[in-house]
Amino acid sequence: MSVLIIAEAGVNHNGSLDMAKRLVDAASEAGADVVKFQTFVPELTVTKNTQQADYQVDNIGKESSQLDMLSNLTLSFKEHQALASYCQEKKIGYLSTAFDLPSLDEVLKLGVNCLKIPSGEITHFQLLKAVAATGLPIILSTGMSTEEDIALALSTIHQYQPVIEKVTLLHCNTEYPTPMCDVNLNVLHSFSERFDVNIGYSDHTQGIEVPIAAVALGAQVIEKHFTISRDMEGPDHKASLEPQELTAMVSAIRNIEAALGSSVKQVTNSEAKNLHIARKYLVVCENIRAGDVLSSKNIMAKRIGQAGISPMQWPNIEGQTASRDRTKDDILTEDDWMPL
């Protein structure tokens, strides 16, 4: 199964449908499988006095309430309908994270084939229950969580959707951008060992190397923020890829995915032609007369450009009596020594 690459547009449209469509274009051109947005009613998501996170203040460059910030980053349900149609036109999957129950209802109307639960909602019982009850595959992000938080969320989900194979757990760190020392990609191993679910990674680091490494560690889903320009004003732009970087990430992931290949070590089709060119086989290194004893003085391993007798047969050949005359660089064959 191919790695699912989700290009996270999030709120990087800054409340503009035209900008959202430009993000769809960029994600489609980069080769992502899905472009994901966020659907929320600001008043149902945050109280009027809730302050911004430090990274939001730093990235925007000014301080306001979260309610004011989110109100400027919202697309209407009708605009999300237009986006879903545009994604279909551009042949890329549409997905949007719902942060409240009315928004979940609206997202479901758009015919999505899976649902994403963001890190901040991992303890939102009503939302977990409602998402699970849809029966759709679920992608659960785990930023700011402990293993106990995750176990409780999964237990809640499985009460209403018992099909374990429908849940993908994303390792995540909810700092924008995430410091490399806090990435802890080895958590992916812990997820595989403790939780019987698919695993993936939602990345907020700068650059593309960490999600690529996550694929090498077994991530089956990669989610990465992107933007048209990091110079734009907004909370997530500075921790996002620009379009050419998104393209590079998708290409690198596909290369790593192909490179992971099989777990069986064998001669591949591409290297088979080099086998007898690069390997050594036994040859005569000094002229031999019939009756001479074969030894390291007159037999050695060299490249001969074709199949021959493997040097690994040396213990069976050393000490044998030559059956005929041979000259230097003749390829040794089984006819060159007398049968016992």
Side-chain angles (χ1 to χ4, degrees):
M1 183 178 70
S2 296
V3 174
L4 180 71
I5 301 177
I6 301 173
E8 171 65 271
V11 294
N12 281 345
H13 49 71
N14 286 4
S16 164
L17 179 58
D18 287 341
M19 180 58 68
K21 288 183 176 180
R22 288 182 61 188
L23 289 165
V24 172
D25 291 340
S28 177
E29 291 166 9
D33 298 300
V34 174
V35 58
K36 189 178 80 65
F37 296 92
Q38 296 177 7
T39 304
F40 53 86
V41 179
E43 294 78 11
L44 298 179
T45 303
V46 64
T47 66
K48 63 181 180 180
N49 296 319
T50 301
Q51 295 305 301
Q52 295 169 319
D54 289 343
Y55 81 84
Q56 293 170 338
V57 176
D58 292 341
N59 291 348
I60 295 174
K62 61 183 179 182
E63 189 169 356
S64 67
S65 71
Q66 278 201 40
L67 183 59
D68 288 341
M69 178 188 71
L70 293 177
S71 296
N72 293 323
L73 300 173
T74 303
L75 294 174
S76 68
F77 296 146
K78 186 175 181 180
E79 287 173 318
H80 276 285
Q81 290 175 344
L83 267 184
S85 297
Y86 191 67
C87 286
Q88 189 172 20
E89 179 184 331
K90 291 294 180 176
K91 294 180 170 52
I92 186 170
Y94 165 88
L95 185 59
S96 189
T97 301
F99 286 76
D100 53 75
L101 296 177
S103 293
L104 175 61
D105 290 339
E106 293 300 325
V107 169
L108 290 170
K109 292 175 184 177
L110 300 178
V112 295
N113 56 18
C114 70
L115 292 169
K116 168 75 187 296
I117 300 172
S119 296
E121 308 301 320
I122 197 168
T123 57
H124 188 167
F125 177 86
Q126 292 94 332
L127 187 63
L128 293 176
K129 175 182 175 181
V131 168
T134 67
L136 289 172
I138 296 169
I139 299 173
L140 176 63
S141 204
T142 61
M144 307 170 294
S145 298
T146 64
E147 288 196 4
E148 289 66 32
D149 293 329
I150 296 165
L152 183 57
L154 288 175
S155 175
T156 301
I157 289 169
H158 290 152
Q159 288 181 50
Y160 303 97
Q161 180 174 270
V163 182
I164 293 174
E165 292 78 9
K166 286 191 173 185
V167 178
T168 299
L169 202 59
L170 298 191
H171 174 42
C172 177
N173 180 291
T174 310
E175 174 66 349
Y176 299 76
T178 300
M180 289 295 179
C181 62
D182 284 343
V183 171
N184 296 324
L185 273 186
N186 283 325
V187 165
L188 290 170
H189 295 307
S190 301
F191 281 1
S192 294
E193 292 168 2
R194 177 167 180 181
F195 305 111
D196 188 19
V197 293
N198 300 318
I199 59 170
Y201 176 63
S202 178
D203 185 55
H204 298 134
T205 64
Q206 292 177 316
I208 67 174
E209 62 265 44
V210 177
I212 294 167
V215 171
L217 290 175
Q220 297 161 292
V221 175
I222 293 294
E223 180 182 82
K224 180 73 173 178
H225 277 266
F226 77 107
T227 180
I228 297 302
S229 171
R230 277 190 291 272
D231 292 332
M232 294 174 64
E233 182 180 299
D236 297 339
H237 294 289
K238 285 183 172 57
S240 300
L241 299 179
E242 293 186 342
Q244 70 275 16
E245 296 168 316
L246 180 63
T247 300
M249 187 195 77
V250 172
S251 177
I253 286 174
R254 295 305 180 213
N255 286 339
I256 293 300
E257 186 177 27
L260 287 172
S262 170
S263 59
V264 178
K265 179 58 181 171
Q266 58 189 346
V267 179
T268 66
N269 292 333
S270 63
E271 67 180 348
K273 64 183 181 298
N274 301 323
L275 178 61
H276 300 314
I277 299 296
R279 280 196 176 169
K280 292 179 177 178
Y281 298 92
L282 294 178
V283 301
V284 175
C285 61
E286 293 293 343
N287 291 344
I288 293 175
R289 299 295 181 188
D292 287 351
V293 176
L294 302 183
S295 71
S296 58
K297 294 180 179 179
N298 50 29
I299 302 294
M300 70 177 297
K302 287 186 179 182
R303 292 181 179 180
I304 62 175
Q306 64 184 63
I309 295 178
S310 169
M312 297 301 288
Q313 294 299 315
W314 179 250
N316 301 322
I317 296 171
E318 185 179 24
Q320 298 279 5
T321 301
S323 60
R324 57 181 177 172
D325 294 349
R326 302 304 308 272
T327 58
K328 184 177 180 179
D329 270 354
D330 280 349
I331 297 171
L332 197 70
T333 73
E334 293 181 354
D335 295 328
D336 288 329
W337 62 86
M338 296 178 182
L340 295 177

PDB file of all heavy atoms in Angstrom, residues 128-158:
ATOM      1  N   LEU A 128     -15.039  12.452  19.468  1.00  0.00           N
ATOM      2  CA  LEU A 128     -14.501  11.110  19.220  1.00  0.00           C
ATOM      3  C   LEU A 128     -15.640  10.130  18.954  1.00  0.00           C
ATOM      4  O   LEU A 128     -15.585   9.327  18.016  1.00  0.00           O
ATOM      5  CB  LEU A 128     -13.689  10.634  20.421  1.00  0.00           C
ATOM      6  CG  LEU A 128     -12.387  11.365  20.745  1.00  0.00           C
ATOM      7  CD1 LEU A 128     -11.784  10.811  22.035  1.00  0.00           C
ATOM      8  CD2 LEU A 128     -11.389  11.244  19.606  1.00  0.00           C
ATOM      9  N   LYS A 129     -16.661  10.191  19.775  1.00  0.00           N
ATOM     10  CA  LYS A 129     -17.809   9.291  19.632  1.00  0.00           C
ATOM     11  C   LYS A 129     -18.512   9.507  18.298  1.00  0.00           C
ATOM     12  O   LYS A 129     -18.823   8.542  17.580  1.00  0.00           O
ATOM     13  CB  LYS A 129     -18.796   9.512  20.787  1.00  0.00           C
ATOM     14  CG  LYS A 129     -20.076   8.706  20.678  1.00  0.00           C
ATOM     15  CD  LYS A 129     -21.029   9.020  21.830  1.00  0.00           C
ATOM     16  CE  LYS A 129     -22.358   8.300  21.666  1.00  0.00           C
ATOM     17  NZ  LYS A 129     -23.298   8.617  22.774  1.00  0.00           N
ATOM     18  N   ALA A 130     -18.748  10.765  17.955  1.00  0.00           N
ATOM     19  CA  ALA A 130     -19.473  11.067  16.718  1.00  0.00           C
ATOM     20  C   ALA A 130     -18.675  10.648  15.491  1.00  0.00           C
ATOM     21  O   ALA A 130     -19.232  10.107  14.524  1.00  0.00           O
ATOM     22  CB  ALA A 130     -19.798  12.562  16.659  1.00  0.00           C
ATOM     23  N   VAL A 131     -17.375  10.894  15.510  1.00  0.00           N
ATOM     24  CA  VAL A 131     -16.527  10.491  14.384  1.00  0.00           C
ATOM     25  C   VAL A 131     -16.509   8.974  14.255  1.00  0.00           C
ATOM     26  O   VAL A 131     -16.666   8.422  13.164  1.00  0.00           O
ATOM     27  CB  VAL A 131     -15.099  11.045  14.565  1.00  0.00           C
ATOM     28  CG1 VAL A 131     -14.140  10.402  13.557  1.00  0.00           C
ATOM     29  CG2 VAL A 131     -15.085  12.562  14.397  1.00  0.00           C
ATOM     30  N   ALA A 132     -16.332   8.280  15.367  1.00  0.00           N
ATOM     31  CA  ALA A 132     -16.292   6.816  15.334  1.00  0.00           C
ATOM     32  C   ALA A 132     -17.602   6.232  14.831  1.00  0.00           C
ATOM     33  O   ALA A 132     -17.611   5.253  14.074  1.00  0.00           O
ATOM     34  CB  ALA A 132     -15.970   6.276  16.718  1.00  0.00           C
ATOM     35  N   ALA A 133     -18.711   6.834  15.239  1.00  0.00           N
ATOM     36  CA  ALA A 133     -20.024   6.308  14.879  1.00  0.00           C
ATOM     37  C   ALA A 133     -20.312   6.392  13.385  1.00  0.00           C
ATOM     38  O   ALA A 133     -21.216   5.717  12.884  1.00  0.00           O
ATOM     39  CB  ALA A 133     -21.110   7.049  15.659  1.00  0.00           C
ATOM     40  N   THR A 134     -19.548   7.197  12.641  1.00  0.00           N
ATOM     41  CA  THR A 134     -19.759   7.287  11.191  1.00  0.00           C
ATOM     42  C   THR A 134     -19.334   6.004  10.485  1.00  0.00           C
ATOM     43  O   THR A 134     -19.775   5.726   9.366  1.00  0.00           O
ATOM     44  CB  THR A 134     -18.977   8.459  10.581  1.00  0.00           C
ATOM     45  OG1 THR A 134     -17.561   8.194  10.682  1.00  0.00           O
ATOM     46  CG2 THR A 134     -19.320   9.777  11.264  1.00  0.00           C
ATOM     47  N   GLY A 135     -18.433   5.244  11.109  1.00  0.00           N
ATOM     48  CA  GLY A 135     -17.922   4.035  10.474  1.00  0.00           C
ATOM     49  C   GLY A 135     -16.830   4.289   9.459  1.00  0.00           C
ATOM     50  O   GLY A 135     -16.286   3.347   8.871  1.00  0.00           O
ATOM     51  N   LEU A 136     -16.467   5.564   9.245  1.00  0.00           N
ATOM     52  CA  LEU A 136     -15.419   5.895   8.282  1.00  0.00           C
ATOM     53  C   LEU A 136     -14.037   5.651   8.895  1.00  0.00           C
ATOM     54  O   LEU A 136     -13.871   5.698  10.118  1.00  0.00           O
ATOM     55  CB  LEU A 136     -15.530   7.363   7.869  1.00  0.00           C
ATOM     56  CG  LEU A 136     -16.722   7.736   6.990  1.00  0.00           C
ATOM     57  CD1 LEU A 136     -16.807   9.253   6.829  1.00  0.00           C
ATOM     58  CD2 LEU A 136     -16.612   7.070   5.620  1.00  0.00           C
ATOM     59  N   PRO A 137     -13.028   5.405   8.056  1.00  0.00           N
ATOM     60  CA  PRO A 137     -11.660   5.323   8.570  1.00  0.00           C
ATOM     61  C   PRO A 137     -11.281   6.623   9.289  1.00  0.00           C
ATOM     62  O   PRO A 137     -11.718   7.715   8.896  1.00  0.00           O
ATOM     63  CB  PRO A 137     -10.816   5.129   7.307  1.00  0.00           C
ATOM     64  CG  PRO A 137     -11.751   4.503   6.326  1.00  0.00           C
ATOM     65  CD  PRO A 137     -13.094   5.128   6.605  1.00  0.00           C
ATOM     66  N   ILE A 138     -10.475   6.504  10.333  1.00  0.00           N
ATOM     67  CA  ILE A 138     -10.124   7.644  11.176  1.00  0.00           C
ATOM     68  C   ILE A 138      -8.615   7.825  11.213  1.00  0.00           C
ATOM     69  O   ILE A 138      -7.858   6.861  11.366  1.00  0.00           O
ATOM     70  CB  ILE A 138     -10.647   7.429  12.613  1.00  0.00           C
ATOM     71  CG1 ILE A 138     -12.177   7.373  12.621  1.00  0.00           C
ATOM     72  CG2 ILE A 138     -10.151   8.523  13.553  1.00  0.00           C
ATOM     73  CD1 ILE A 138     -12.752   6.902  13.952  1.00  0.00           C
ATOM     74  N   ILE A 139      -8.188   9.067  11.085  1.00  0.00           N
ATOM     75  CA  ILE A 139      -6.789   9.440  11.288  1.00  0.00           C
ATOM     76  C   ILE A 139      -6.744  10.271  12.558  1.00  0.00           C
ATOM     77  O   ILE A 139      -7.369  11.327  12.637  1.00  0.00           O
ATOM     78  CB  ILE A 139      -6.240  10.239  10.090  1.00  0.00           C
ATOM     79  CG1 ILE A 139      -6.310   9.393   8.810  1.00  0.00           C
ATOM     80  CG2 ILE A 139      -4.806  10.683  10.355  1.00  0.00           C
ATOM     81  CD1 ILE A 139      -5.957  10.162   7.546  1.00  0.00           C
ATOM     82  N   LEU A 140      -6.022   9.766  13.557  1.00  0.00           N
ATOM     83  CA  LEU A 140      -5.976  10.409  14.872  1.00  0.00           C
ATOM     84  C   LEU A 140      -4.588  10.976  15.122  1.00  0.00           C
ATOM     85  O   LEU A 140      -3.609  10.233  15.186  1.00  0.00           O
ATOM     86  CB  LEU A 140      -6.340   9.399  15.965  1.00  0.00           C
ATOM     87  CG  LEU A 140      -6.249   9.883  17.423  1.00  0.00           C
ATOM     88  CD1 LEU A 140      -7.240  11.012  17.681  1.00  0.00           C
ATOM     89  CD2 LEU A 140      -6.504   8.713  18.380  1.00  0.00           C
ATOM     90  N   SER A 141      -4.508  12.289  15.277  1.00  0.00           N
ATOM     91  CA  SER A 141      -3.236  12.943  15.543  1.00  0.00           C
ATOM     92  C   SER A 141      -3.011  13.044  17.049  1.00  0.00           C
ATOM     93  O   SER A 141      -3.953  13.210  17.830  1.00  0.00           O
ATOM     94  CB  SER A 141      -3.224  14.337  14.907  1.00  0.00           C
ATOM     95  OG  SER A 141      -1.907  14.765  14.659  1.00  0.00           O
ATOM     96  N   THR A 142      -1.729  12.978  17.467  1.00  0.00           N
ATOM     97  CA  THR A 142      -1.432  12.767  18.886  1.00  0.00           C
ATOM     98  C   THR A 142      -0.503  13.815  19.493  1.00  0.00           C
ATOM     99  O   THR A 142       0.170  13.539  20.492  1.00  0.00           O
ATOM    100  CB  THR A 142      -0.804  11.380  19.083  1.00  0.00           C
ATOM    101  OG1 THR A 142       0.434  11.323  18.331  1.00  0.00           O
ATOM    102  CG2 THR A 142      -1.735  10.277  18.625  1.00  0.00           C
ATOM    103  N   GLY A 143      -0.456  15.011  18.911  1.00  0.00           N
ATOM    104  CA  GLY A 143       0.364  16.057  19.517  1.00  0.00           C
ATOM    105  C   GLY A 143      -0.097  16.373  20.933  1.00  0.00           C
ATOM    106  O   GLY A 143      -1.285  16.294  21.246  1.00  0.00           O
ATOM    107  N   MET A 144       0.850  16.707  21.801  1.00  0.00           N
ATOM    108  CA  MET A 144       0.574  17.095  23.190  1.00  0.00           C
ATOM    109  C   MET A 144      -0.013  15.948  24.009  1.00  0.00           C
ATOM    110  O   MET A 144      -0.633  16.178  25.039  1.00  0.00           O
ATOM    111  CB  MET A 144      -0.366  18.307  23.256  1.00  0.00           C
ATOM    112  CG  MET A 144       0.074  19.503  22.443  1.00  0.00           C
ATOM    113  SD  MET A 144      -1.192  20.792  22.325  1.00  0.00           S
ATOM    114  CE  MET A 144      -2.459  19.963  21.359  1.00  0.00           C
ATOM    115  N   SER A 145       0.175  14.697  23.565  1.00  0.00           N
ATOM    116  CA  SER A 145      -0.463  13.562  24.227  1.00  0.00           C
ATOM    117  C   SER A 145       0.553  12.646  24.882  1.00  0.00           C
ATOM    118  O   SER A 145       1.695  12.530  24.445  1.00  0.00           O
ATOM    119  CB  SER A 145      -1.267  12.738  23.216  1.00  0.00           C
ATOM    120  OG  SER A 145      -2.292  13.499  22.643  1.00  0.00           O
ATOM    121  N   THR A 146       0.086  11.943  25.908  1.00  0.00           N
ATOM    122  CA  THR A 146       0.830  10.834  26.483  1.00  0.00           C
ATOM    123  C   THR A 146       0.260   9.533  25.923  1.00  0.00           C
ATOM    124  O   THR A 146      -0.819   9.525  25.289  1.00  0.00           O
ATOM    125  CB  THR A 146       0.693  10.808  28.018  1.00  0.00           C
ATOM    126  OG1 THR A 146      -0.688  10.567  28.350  1.00  0.00           O
ATOM    127  CG2 THR A 146       1.134  12.145  28.624  1.00  0.00           C
ATOM    128  N   GLU A 147       0.952   8.424  26.175  1.00  0.00           N
ATOM    129  CA  GLU A 147       0.423   7.142  25.719  1.00  0.00           C
ATOM    130  C   GLU A 147      -0.903   6.819  26.404  1.00  0.00           C
ATOM    131  O   GLU A 147      -1.770   6.161  25.818  1.00  0.00           O
ATOM    132  CB  GLU A 147       1.447   6.029  25.960  1.00  0.00           C
ATOM    133  CG  GLU A 147       2.630   6.099  25.006  1.00  0.00           C
ATOM    134  CD  GLU A 147       3.438   4.818  24.967  1.00  0.00           C
ATOM    135  OE1 GLU A 147       3.034   3.841  25.634  1.00  0.00           O
ATOM    136  OE2 GLU A 147       4.455   4.788  24.264  1.00  0.00           O
ATOM    137  N   GLU A 148      -1.055   7.304  27.621  1.00  0.00           N
ATOM    138  CA  GLU A 148      -2.317   7.079  28.330  1.00  0.00           C
ATOM    139  C   GLU A 148      -3.463   7.843  27.663  1.00  0.00           C
ATOM    140  O   GLU A 148      -4.582   7.334  27.540  1.00  0.00           O
ATOM    141  CB  GLU A 148      -2.184   7.488  29.799  1.00  0.00           C
ATOM    142  CG  GLU A 148      -1.316   6.551  30.630  1.00  0.00           C
ATOM    143  CD  GLU A 148       0.155   6.561  30.221  1.00  0.00           C
ATOM    144  OE1 GLU A 148       0.647   7.626  29.785  1.00  0.00           O
ATOM    145  OE2 GLU A 148       0.809   5.505  30.321  1.00  0.00           O
ATOM    146  N   ASP A 149      -3.198   9.091  27.244  1.00  0.00           N
ATOM    147  CA  ASP A 149      -4.208   9.861  26.503  1.00  0.00           C
ATOM    148  C   ASP A 149      -4.633   9.111  25.242  1.00  0.00           C
ATOM    149  O   ASP A 149      -5.825   9.030  24.907  1.00  0.00           O
ATOM    150  CB  ASP A 149      -3.649  11.227  26.087  1.00  0.00           C
ATOM    151  CG  ASP A 149      -3.380  12.152  27.254  1.00  0.00           C
ATOM    152  OD1 ASP A 149      -4.097  12.061  28.269  1.00  0.00           O
ATOM    153  OD2 ASP A 149      -2.446  12.980  27.142  1.00  0.00           O
ATOM    154  N   ILE A 150      -3.626   8.581  24.550  1.00  0.00           N
ATOM    155  CA  ILE A 150      -3.891   7.901  23.282  1.00  0.00           C
ATOM    156  C   ILE A 150      -4.687   6.624  23.523  1.00  0.00           C
ATOM    157  O   ILE A 150      -5.656   6.332  22.799  1.00  0.00           O
ATOM    158  CB  ILE A 150      -2.563   7.586  22.563  1.00  0.00           C
ATOM    159  CG1 ILE A 150      -1.842   8.891  22.193  1.00  0.00           C
ATOM    160  CG2 ILE A 150      -2.801   6.735  21.325  1.00  0.00           C
ATOM    161  CD1 ILE A 150      -0.385   8.707  21.826  1.00  0.00           C
ATOM    162  N   ALA A 151      -4.299   5.871  24.532  1.00  0.00           N
ATOM    163  CA  ALA A 151      -5.012   4.623  24.833  1.00  0.00           C
ATOM    164  C   ALA A 151      -6.475   4.889  25.165  1.00  0.00           C
ATOM    165  O   ALA A 151      -7.373   4.153  24.721  1.00  0.00           O
ATOM    166  CB  ALA A 151      -4.324   3.897  25.989  1.00  0.00           C
ATOM    167  N   LEU A 152      -6.733   5.956  25.903  1.00  0.00           N
ATOM    168  CA  LEU A 152      -8.114   6.294  26.258  1.00  0.00           C
ATOM    169  C   LEU A 152      -8.906   6.721  25.025  1.00  0.00           C
ATOM    170  O   LEU A 152     -10.072   6.327  24.849  1.00  0.00           O
ATOM    171  CB  LEU A 152      -8.129   7.404  27.311  1.00  0.00           C
ATOM    172  CG  LEU A 152      -9.506   7.828  27.838  1.00  0.00           C
ATOM    173  CD1 LEU A 152     -10.255   6.627  28.424  1.00  0.00           C
ATOM    174  CD2 LEU A 152      -9.354   8.933  28.883  1.00  0.00           C
ATOM    175  N   ALA A 153      -8.285   7.519  24.156  1.00  0.00           N
ATOM    176  CA  ALA A 153      -8.966   7.945  22.932  1.00  0.00           C
ATOM    177  C   ALA A 153      -9.283   6.742  22.041  1.00  0.00           C
ATOM    178  O   ALA A 153     -10.390   6.624  21.504  1.00  0.00           O
ATOM    179  CB  ALA A 153      -8.111   8.961  22.181  1.00  0.00           C
ATOM    180  N   LEU A 154      -8.317   5.845  21.889  1.00  0.00           N
ATOM    181  CA  LEU A 154      -8.550   4.661  21.056  1.00  0.00           C
ATOM    182  C   LEU A 154      -9.626   3.767  21.652  1.00  0.00           C
ATOM    183  O   LEU A 154     -10.457   3.206  20.925  1.00  0.00           O
ATOM    184  CB  LEU A 154      -7.243   3.882  20.892  1.00  0.00           C
ATOM    185  CG  LEU A 154      -6.180   4.523  19.994  1.00  0.00           C
ATOM    186  CD1 LEU A 154      -4.902   3.700  20.014  1.00  0.00           C
ATOM    187  CD2 LEU A 154      -6.689   4.676  18.561  1.00  0.00           C
ATOM    188  N   SER A 155      -9.612   3.645  22.975  1.00  0.00           N
ATOM    189  CA  SER A 155     -10.645   2.853  23.632  1.00  0.00           C
ATOM    190  C   SER A 155     -12.028   3.445  23.384  1.00  0.00           C
ATOM    191  O   SER A 155     -13.002   2.717  23.115  1.00  0.00           O
ATOM    192  CB  SER A 155     -10.364   2.789  25.137  1.00  0.00           C
ATOM    193  OG  SER A 155     -11.398   2.128  25.819  1.00  0.00           O
ATOM    194  N   THR A 156     -12.125   4.768  23.436  1.00  0.00           N
ATOM    195  CA  THR A 156     -13.389   5.443  23.168  1.00  0.00           C
ATOM    196  C   THR A 156     -13.834   5.220  21.730  1.00  0.00           C
ATOM    197  O   THR A 156     -14.995   4.880  21.454  1.00  0.00           O
ATOM    198  CB  THR A 156     -13.249   6.954  23.439  1.00  0.00           C
ATOM    199  OG1 THR A 156     -12.865   7.149  24.812  1.00  0.00           O
ATOM    200  CG2 THR A 156     -14.552   7.689  23.165  1.00  0.00           C
ATOM    201  N   ILE A 157     -12.898   5.377  20.806  1.00  0.00           N
ATOM    202  CA  ILE A 157     -13.222   5.171  19.389  1.00  0.00           C
ATOM    203  C   ILE A 157     -13.696   3.749  19.145  1.00  0.00           C
ATOM    204  O   ILE A 157     -14.692   3.508  18.452  1.00  0.00           O
ATOM    205  CB  ILE A 157     -11.991   5.501  18.517  1.00  0.00           C
ATOM    206  CG1 ILE A 157     -11.738   7.020  18.501  1.00  0.00           C
ATOM    207  CG2 ILE A 157     -12.168   4.979  17.091  1.00  0.00           C
ATOM    208  CD1 ILE A 157     -10.415   7.421  17.887  1.00  0.00           C
ATOM    209  N   HIS A 158     -13.013   2.792  19.745  1.00  0.00           N
ATOM    210  CA  HIS A 158     -13.335   1.392  19.462  1.00  0.00           C
ATOM    211  C   HIS A 158     -14.651   0.945  20.091  1.00  0.00           C
ATOM    212  O   HIS A 158     -15.210  -0.087  19.707  1.00  0.00           O
ATOM    213  CB  HIS A 158     -12.184   0.493  19.927  1.00  0.00           C
ATOM    214  CG  HIS A 158     -10.948   0.641  19.094  1.00  0.00           C
ATOM    215  ND1 HIS A 158      -9.682   0.417  19.578  1.00  0.00           N
ATOM    216  CD2 HIS A 158     -10.794   1.023  17.798  1.00  0.00           C
ATOM    217  CE1 HIS A 158      -8.806   0.639  18.619  1.00  0.00           C
ATOM    218  NE2 HIS A 158      -9.452   1.009  17.535  1.00  0.00           N
TER     219      HIS A 158
END
